[in-house]
Amino acid sequence: MDFKKFTMVFISVAVISLVCGLIALSVIGVSVPAEENHLRKKQEAETEKETKKQTDEFVEKQINIEGDIRETLPTLNDGNEPQVTDLMHKMTHQKVVSDEKWGAIEMTPENIAKLKQHVLANNFKSKEFFLEILNRWETGNFDKADKDHNALWEAQGGTVGIAYDLMTEKQEKQFIERNFR
């Protein structure tokens, strides 16, 4: 009798283990493809966004600027904070993707240094804000150029032309060649 009980328990445990294993496999089998599908869709969306950024029409729109285009800064006027905001805003145009851009000033180390020196020499209300941005740019960090653009644009009361991405290196090179060379 003990052997019969042992066999029954053994078979019961085996059947329960088999059922649990099948349930676990079916759950894993359903969740893995769903997760893979989500990752695939995310990659497709990123590829589509990158493809859109590469189209000729899109690139043309990003590098064709209307308004005042300068390689160097104009004469800086002491105490003229709106001028600094405008100049920094125009400098971001070679770095950002926007539906409209008006004016551009080349973002060179010389222009950045000259503007920084001017900000340091003046008692602007937005001095710390300007210096935070200029210090980043001075080190070659333009990762937040779209956010910098939008903050400067907003300070000017911007209503059209918000930046929604950063240009690719290729687009930036085309922008510089088209507008400053």
Side-chain angles (χ1 to χ4, degrees):
M1 226 190 238
D2 282 338
F3 181 74
K4 194 174 185 180
K5 263 186 172 179
F6 174 77
T7 304
M8 290 298 283
V9 169
F10 180 79
I11 291 174
S12 297
V13 169
V15 169
I16 291 171
S17 296
L18 179 63
V19 169
C20 289
L22 290 173
I23 290 171
L25 284 175
S26 69
V27 168
I28 291 171
V30 168
S31 68
V32 170
E35 191 173 312
E36 287 174 359
N37 190 32
H38 174 73
L39 289 174
R40 184 178 49 75
K41 284 183 180 180
K42 185 177 177 184
Q43 288 172 337
E44 286 173 1
E46 288 174 7
T47 301
E48 185 178 326
K49 181 180 174 185
E50 192 60 34
T51 301
K52 183 180 177 193
K53 287 173 79 173
Q54 301 295 334
T55 66
D56 291 341
E57 180 182 327
F58 179 82
V59 170
E60 187 66 27
K61 186 175 185 179
Q62 294 309 309
I63 64 175
N64 188 24
I65 301 298
E66 299 294 327
D68 187 29
I69 299 171
R70 300 171 161 268
E71 289 183 30
T72 59
L73 294 171
T75 301
L76 299 171
N77 302 314
D78 286 338
N80 190 342
E81 188 164 337
Q83 180 190 34
V84 174
T85 304
D86 182 57
L87 297 175
M88 290 176 66
H89 172 217
K90 287 177 179 174
M91 289 171 76
T92 64
H93 285 170
Q94 79 180 56
K95 302 284 184 186
V96 302
V97 173
S98 173
D99 288 333
E100 287 192 37
K101 299 176 187 177
W102 190 264
I105 297 172
E106 190 170 11
M107 192 179 295
T108 63
E110 297 78 20
N111 286 343
I112 294 168
K114 186 175 178 182
L115 203 49
K116 181 179 176 181
Q117 186 178 32
H118 179 70
V119 169
L120 287 169
N122 282 271
N123 192 22
F124 296 129
K125 197 169 48 170
S126 302
K127 187 174 192 169
E128 288 182 35
F129 167 69
F130 292 149
L131 290 174
E132 177 187 331
I133 294 170
L134 290 166
N135 286 333
R136 234 182 307 109
W137 293 356
E138 191 173 48
T139 64
N141 181 350
F142 303 104
D143 293 347
K144 296 181 182 180
D146 53 343
K147 290 167 185 50
D148 298 338
H149 171 279
N150 291 342
L152 294 158
W153 172 82
E154 192 174 290
Q156 291 180 298
T159 57
V160 176
I162 192 166
Y164 54 88
D165 206 350
L166 295 171
M167 283 189 182
T168 63
E169 284 184 39
K170 181 180 178 182
Q171 290 167 344
E172 187 178 340
K173 184 178 179 183
Q174 289 173 321
F175 182 96
I176 292 168
E177 288 173 358
R178 164 79 59 87
N179 295 294
F180 303 124
R181 302 291 179 251

